């Protein structure tokens, strides 16, 4: 079995199930994840309403649960902001630093065909910025979200995002 086939069995994407939302809610309240992402978590009722109304309720959103060895590890989502398509993702801390984000993003980019595709992680979240760059996203500037500076990255129509570049490459 090749390494890719082994990865396919270990990391996959599937449609979000209702039970996944409890996992996502807990992950989004992890103190270290919040520090790195500069994300403001929602209280449970607002979190659930956001998912039902803004994600499930918008047929232009593409959202997938990242599954690792049969368990939900996080999610990846693409949505429209005016005329720009964005992606975002969240992985539980137990799944950081293991290549799971790299594999999951590669799988998602095979399904999400819109280009250009934008992302804007917190600038000091270097792991997230590097993950996107390995998949062909290029930094094009910065944006502010409140007090925080985020790096704006774009995967354009000419990018080859099928295979991530090696670390440092």
């Amino acid at each position: 079995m090749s390494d890719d086939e082994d990865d396919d069995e270990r990391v996959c994407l599937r449609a979000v199930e209702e039970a996944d939302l409890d996992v996502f809610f807990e992950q989004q309240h992890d103190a270290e994840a919040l520090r790195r992402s500069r994300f403001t978590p929602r209280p449970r009722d607002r979190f659930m309403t956001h998912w039902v109304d803004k994600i499930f309720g918008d047929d232009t959103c593409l959202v997938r649960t990242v599954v690792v060895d049969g368990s939900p590890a996080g999610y990846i989502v693409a949505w429209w902001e005016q005329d720009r398509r964005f992606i975002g993702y969240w992985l539980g801390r137990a799944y950081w630093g293991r290549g799971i984000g790299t594999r999951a993003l590669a799988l998602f980019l095979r399904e999400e065909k819109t280009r250009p595709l934008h992302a804007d992680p917190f600038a000091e979240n270097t792991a997230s910025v590097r993950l996107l760059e390995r998949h062909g996203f290029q930094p094009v500037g910065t944006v502010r979200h409140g007090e925080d500076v985020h790096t704006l990255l774009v995967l354009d129509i000419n990018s080859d995002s099928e295979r991530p570049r090696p670390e440092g490459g």
Side-chain angles (χ1 to χ4, degrees):
M1 184 181 298
S2 76
D3 288 341
D4 280 348
E5 288 170 344
D6 188 39
D7 284 346
D8 283 341
E9 289 182 34
R10 194 171 74 85
V11 178
C12 66
L13 302 180
R14 65 161 165 74
V16 176
E17 298 171 358
E18 188 175 335
D20 297 340
L21 297 182
D22 290 326
V23 174
F24 302 162
F25 178 78
E26 292 301 320
Q27 290 172 341
Q28 285 191 1
H29 282 77
D30 177 88
E32 180 61 15
L34 295 173
R35 185 188 70 75
R36 289 186 186 202
S37 67
R38 301 296 289 186
F39 180 79
T40 302
R42 296 174 177 91
R44 185 174 199 76
D45 60 332
R46 285 192 31 226
F47 173 88
M48 294 299 180
T49 299
H50 174 79
W51 272 85
V52 169
D53 293 349
K54 300 288 186 182
I55 298 174
F56 296 144
D58 181 348
D59 63 0
T60 68
C61 281
L62 174 64
V63 61
R64 296 291 180 256
T65 296
V66 177
V67 178
V68 177
D69 295 330
S71 297
Y75 65 87
I76 303 180
V77 61
W79 70 95
W80 287 100
E81 281 186 25
Q82 288 126 17
D83 62 343
R84 289 182 173 177
R85 186 80 165 163
F86 276 84
I87 67 161
Y89 43 84
W90 199 281
L91 286 177
R93 191 182 342 175
Y95 302 97
W96 296 356
R98 296 171 39 193
I100 291 163
T102 298
R103 184 69 186 140
L105 186 54
L107 292 169
F108 190 80
L109 291 173
R110 289 179 189 168
E111 193 172 348
E112 172 57 62
K113 301 291 188 187
T114 303
R115 304 292 185 270
L117 189 59
H118 301 79
D120 61 350
F122 178 52
E124 293 178 30
N125 187 346
T126 55
S128 189
V129 172
R130 281 193 314 259
L131 171 64
L132 291 158
E133 289 176 336
R134 279 194 305 270
H135 286 279
F137 284 79
Q138 298 294 313
V140 295
T142 59
V143 294
R144 289 186 90 58
H145 293 291
E147 301 280 318
D148 299 317
V149 174
H150 290 241
T151 302
L152 181 63
L153 299 111
V154 177
L155 180 65
D156 73 28
I157 198 158
N158 299 316
S159 295
D160 177 17
S161 60
E162 196 61 26
R163 283 212 174 269
R165 292 187 289 263
E167 190 75 34

